[in-house]
């Protein structure tokens, strides 16, 4: 008990009430010891016993009060931690929602860009096909012109039917090789 009193006197105790209660107990113990030493009176022992019981009862009440205060403090701390955790989770959920919205926006932009690029590729392909068709048309016209030209030139060619006739004509009308 004296070690407890020393700690309380040094300021390491929980409450000033406990210190005053222990001082009261010490005084009561001192008075009771004097009475017990000096007087062997039964009434003093009964009074001491009642005082001791009152002290223990008061101490028990104080302990209950301290336990209740500690429990309230722990509950308040738990409620504060719960509120803080809830706030963190809400902020995290909000950030996740913002991330989802940003991702959806990026996806929409990407898809829009892909659609524009596809449209541009299709337009370029259509232009290439148009040019190829035009080139094919031009080449076809050129081939037809060439055929017509060859047909016109072939009218003057020597065929098997006209070979004998031309030989006779050349022999009848000789042309000099060197003109003088």
């Amino acid at each position: 008990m004296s070690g407890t009193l020393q700690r309380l006197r040094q300021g390491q105790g929980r409450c000033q009430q406990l210190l005053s209660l222990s001082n009261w107990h010490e005084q009561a113990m001192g008075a009771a010891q004097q009475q017990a030493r000096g007087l062997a009176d039964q009434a003093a022992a009964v009074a001491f016993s009642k005082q001791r019981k009152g002290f223990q009862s008061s101490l028990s009440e104080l302990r209950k009060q301290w336990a209740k205060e500690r429990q309230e403090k722990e509950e308040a701390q738990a409620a504060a931690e719960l509120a803080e955790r809830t706030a963190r989770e809400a902020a995290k959920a909000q950030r996740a929602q913002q991330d989802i919205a940003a991702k959806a926006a990026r996806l929409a932009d990407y898809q829009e860009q892909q659609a524009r690029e596809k449209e541009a590729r299709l337009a370029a392909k259509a232009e290439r096909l148009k040019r190829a068709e035009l080139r094919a048309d031009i080449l076809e016209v050129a081939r037809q012109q060439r055929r017509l030209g060859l047909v016109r030139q072939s009218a003057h060619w020597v065929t098997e039917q006209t070979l004998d006739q031309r030989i006779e004509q050349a022999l009848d009308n000789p042309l000099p090789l060197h003109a003088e």
Side-chain angles (χ1 to χ4, degrees):
M1 188 64 137
S2 64
T4 305
L5 290 175
Q6 287 176 353
R7 278 184 289 172
L8 287 174
R9 286 184 181 140
Q10 291 173 359
Q12 295 177 354
R14 287 181 121 188
C15 181
Q16 188 65 24
Q17 291 175 344
L18 184 60
L19 184 60
S20 64
L21 196 58
S22 63
N23 285 338
W24 172 79
H25 178 66
E26 191 177 87
Q27 288 173 356
M29 287 291 279
Q33 286 178 354
Q34 281 181 354
Q35 286 180 357
R37 276 189 232 137
L39 302 169
D41 190 15
Q42 191 77 349
V46 169
F48 173 73
S49 175
K50 286 181 181 179
Q51 287 178 344
R52 184 173 183 177
K53 191 171 186 178
F55 168 74
Q56 287 176 348
S57 165
S58 299
L59 189 58
S60 176
E61 288 298 320
L62 282 174
R63 286 181 180 154
K64 288 178 186 176
Q65 181 183 356
W66 293 333
K68 185 178 178 183
E69 288 174 2
R70 185 182 70 235
Q71 185 178 5
E72 289 173 356
K73 193 182 285 184
E74 288 174 355
E75 288 174 357
Q77 186 177 7
E81 288 174 1
L82 178 63
E84 183 180 335
R85 188 173 341 130
T86 304
R88 279 194 312 260
E89 289 173 359
K92 185 177 180 181
Q94 185 179 11
R95 282 192 308 270
Q97 201 170 26
Q98 289 172 347
D99 289 346
I100 289 170
K103 187 176 181 180
R106 286 192 308 267
L107 179 62
D109 289 345
Y110 175 75
Q111 289 173 342
E112 191 176 305
Q113 180 183 2
Q114 291 296 317
R116 284 192 306 265
E117 288 176 1
K118 185 176 182 180
E119 190 176 311
R121 284 192 307 268
L122 289 176
K125 186 175 182 179
E127 183 67 27
R128 283 193 309 270
L129 288 175
K130 187 177 175 182
R131 283 190 212 145
E133 288 176 5
L134 184 61
R135 191 176 315 124
D137 291 344
I138 291 171
L139 288 175
E140 185 62 31
V141 168
R143 281 188 198 116
Q144 288 175 356
Q145 292 289 331
R146 185 166 182 247
R147 265 191 224 117
L148 289 175
L150 288 175
V151 168
R152 282 187 203 130
Q153 286 177 359
S154 70
H156 301 293
W157 289 352
V158 177
T159 62
E160 287 182 20
Q161 293 109 4
T162 59
L163 181 62
D164 292 332
Q165 183 184 10
R166 287 215 177 181
I167 292 175
E168 285 177 22
Q169 187 181 16
L171 288 176
D172 291 339
N173 300 320
L175 290 174
L177 287 177
H178 300 287
E180 295 181 16

